[in-house]
Amino acid sequence: MRVVVDRDLCEANQQCMRLAPEVFHVDEADRLHILVARVDPEHRDRVRRAVRACPKQALSLVEEAEEERS
Amino acid sequence: MTESTTPATGTFAFDPDDPGYTRNPYPTYNWLRSQPPYLWAKHDAWIFSRYDDVVTIMRDYRRFTPNWADWEHAARFTSDGQVHDYDRLMASGLFALPHDGHVRLRKLVSPAFTPRAIERMRDKVQAIVDDALDHIEVQDGRFDVAGLAEHIPLRAISAVLGIPRTREPEFRRFGVSVIDASDRRLTPAARLAVLEPFTPGLELLRAVIDERVRQPADDLLSMLIAAEEAGDRLNHDELLSLVMALIAAGSETTVHLICFAVYTLLRHPAELARLRADPSLVRGAIEEVLRFDSFGKNGVPRFARDDVEIGGVRVRKGQMIYPLLPAALRDPDAFPRADVFDIGRDQTANVTFGTGPHHCVGAALARLEGEIAITTLFARFPSLRLVGDPVFAPHSFLRKMESLPVAV
């Protein structure tokens, strides 16, 4: 599983960072950094929650199996 | 203590103009959520009250738009083919622009409204709240919270924009007219009456912009003017529309948040005691006020961009839809013990500021104002108590307290 951010929509609300700080970091310049290329299985539930919680719906998840098929 | 939420037996009707609904809409919301989506015959509009449906509608900008021009009956309410300045500007506004334009405009303003940027306004907002409290009229140990709340939000948004304090009453009336005229269900005559303060307010705004063009400052208005002058980032109507929306949404909303925050906390003394004992709970308290007893009556209407099926009903292209946000925020499928006011609850699912592209761009500022107003007010008046019921002004889509009497 990896995380994709739509930078046209992200407004640095920091909800993702609050819910899954291992994966999301909003820096001092209000830029979101996705900290991992692949989400650790033990973080998946928190990451799903963070994606759902984004006020702008700027985040999405890409499952590995989808990628292998494309 | 909570308001009655039990629907009375007998026939129920959805009538937001009923004063009883304004005072206590919760029995109606519970009744609505218990059945399939409701067709409001008076306006041929679908009412959605369950959390999942409301969230779907707000997020799906491809199928649902907040642009009144896309209402199937939009033509019915234009007056003699004349386009009021208001309508011309709204057509270049955040609710009307197609997705690309909407994104372009949001990118210009959202950096000034991020939580991080707004946190830098803390001292300024505190000074605004302190000043407003210093000037309240306390008579016989009593004052009106509505009078206090009235002044805070316009001053805060003016500070962000860089608009001077000198013409407050005119900008306040301007903001109210922009919000009130957004409802195209008004008759043409009623609409013109509502828009009466709009034209002088717009002239005033143009004068402020001209002044800022001559003397740029380090504020959002100067930044937007520079972006317009750069040529391809926003045009003049978009600039005016954006600033007008910020003034309106920044003033004629947070006033009601402050009133409801005071009212709801005073009606729930155990939660108020919890807040006094631990002031760090204030963030959660403001979120919970906005979830539990929101000042919006109906939510922001949407219009179907094409025939669509949702919540088990078929919606026609152009048909009006009310995603009833206040009802969704009391949905027990989304919030355990939904009818209980609990300032410590998990607020992750609370979409009171919307969700998706139109999520309130000013949310962080509204939250900051609410937190500082509540913290400062309850610290200054440790024995504050209600001495009467709020009086609600008649309004088609807002539960506006025109009076909330308290004793110190």
Side-chain angles (χ1 to χ4, degrees), chain B residues 85-354:
Chain B
D85 273 343
Y86 175 84
D87 295 311
R88 196 191 82 247
L89 291 176
M90 289 298 273
S92 290
L94 287 168
F95 279 3
L97 290 171
H99 186 67
D100 287 353
H102 180 253
V103 163
R104 174 170 50 85
L105 255 50
R106 289 278 299 217
K107 279 192 155 178
L108 285 170
V109 293
S110 59
F113 289 99
T114 65
R116 196 179 298 280
I118 290 299
E119 182 58 33
R120 288 184 220 118
M121 297 275 304
R122 183 171 285 274
D123 289 348
K124 207 169 262 187
V125 174
Q126 183 69 62
I128 289 168
V129 168
D130 289 340
D131 182 63
L133 271 170
D134 288 343
H135 287 93
I136 53 169
E137 281 181 32
V138 181
Q139 281 192 329
D140 300 323
R142 294 170 178 219
F143 72 96
D144 195 324
V145 176
L148 165 69
E150 176 70 10
H151 298 295
I152 294 166
L154 178 60
R155 289 173 191 169
I157 192 67
S158 298
V160 173
L161 278 165
I163 285 178
R165 255 191 75 165
T166 46
R167 308 290 288 274
E168 252 169 41
E170 283 124 307
F171 274 125
R172 182 78 179 97
R173 284 193 291 270
F174 175 65
V176 170
S177 77
V178 169
I179 293 290
D180 287 358
S182 69
D183 184 352
R184 305 304 167 95
R185 296 174 293 145
L186 294 170
T187 63
R191 196 138 196 281
L192 281 174
V194 157
L195 281 171
E196 215 242 301
F198 178 81
T199 304
L202 184 63
E203 280 318 299
L204 188 54
L205 179 56
R206 287 189 210 269
V208 170
I209 287 173
D210 286 345
E211 166 69 33
R212 196 65 79 255
V213 167
R214 283 195 298 274
Q215 286 209 300
D218 182 24
D219 53 38
L220 180 58
L221 190 55
S222 300
M223 188 278 269
L224 290 172
I225 290 166
E228 194 218 331
E229 286 171 355
D232 60 350
R233 300 189 67 199
L234 83 167
N235 63 38
H236 196 64
D237 275 359
E238 286 169 347
L239 167 66
L240 286 172
S241 185
L242 197 46
V243 177
M244 137 187 158
L246 291 173
I247 291 170
S251 53
E252 181 57 350
T253 47
T254 314
V255 173
H256 313 305
L257 160 58
I258 292 170
C259 288
F260 268 91
V262 176
Y263 179 54
T264 306
L265 283 164
L266 287 177
R267 283 162 70 220
H268 294 89
E271 290 301 283
L272 178 55
R274 236 178 125 188
L275 178 60
R276 285 188 184 282
D278 181 3
S280 76
L281 289 172
V282 70
R283 300 208 138 216
I286 293 297
E287 292 307 293
E288 182 67 347
V289 163
L290 288 169
R291 183 198 72 81
F292 177 79
D293 204 6
S294 160
F295 59 84
K297 261 203 221 191
N298 308 331
V300 173
R302 298 314 207 258
F303 309 93
R305 300 186 70 217
D306 212 329
D307 290 353
V308 64
E309 174 139 352
I310 175 161
V313 300
R314 297 234 66 198
V315 181
R316 249 185 345 263
K317 178 177 172 167
Q319 194 166 17
M320 191 189 301
I321 293 162
Y322 277 100
L324 271 197
L325 187 49
L329 295 174
R330 291 278 203 111
D331 188 340
D333 287 348
F335 300 96
R337 298 148 50 248
D339 286 330
V340 174
F341 179 66
D342 172 5
I343 65 173
R345 73 161 67 234
D346 185 334
Q347 297 289 347
T348 308
N350 187 351
V351 290
T352 188
F353 286 100

Side-chain angles (χ1 to χ4, degrees), chain A residues 8 11 26-27 30 49 55, chain B residues 59 106-107 114 116 346 356:
Chain A
D8 276 352
E11 288 179 341
V26 179
D27 69 20
D30 271 337
R49 213 160 163 246
Chain B
R59 287 177 178 168
R106 289 278 299 217
K107 279 192 155 178
T114 65
R116 196 179 298 280
D346 185 334

Side-chain angles (χ1 to χ4, degrees), chain A residues 6-15 17-19 26-30 49 52-57, chain B residues 59 61 99 103 106-107 110-111 114-117 120 346-348 354-361 367:
Chain A
D6 184 337
R7 300 221 179 252
D8 276 352
L9 295 177
C10 175
E11 288 179 341
N13 280 294
Q14 302 182 29
Q15 277 284 67
M17 181 164 76
R18 183 182 69 85
L19 289 168
V26 179
D27 69 20
E28 296 272 303
D30 271 337
R49 213 160 163 246
R52 272 202 305 275
C54 174
K56 294 296 300 295
Q57 297 290 285
Chain B
R59 287 177 178 168
Y61 63 88
H99 186 67
V103 163
R106 289 278 299 217
K107 279 192 155 178
S110 59
T114 65
R116 196 179 298 280
R120 288 184 220 118
D346 185 334
Q347 297 289 347
T348 308
T355 174
H358 295 285
H359 172 262
C360 173
V361 77
R367 286 173 168 130

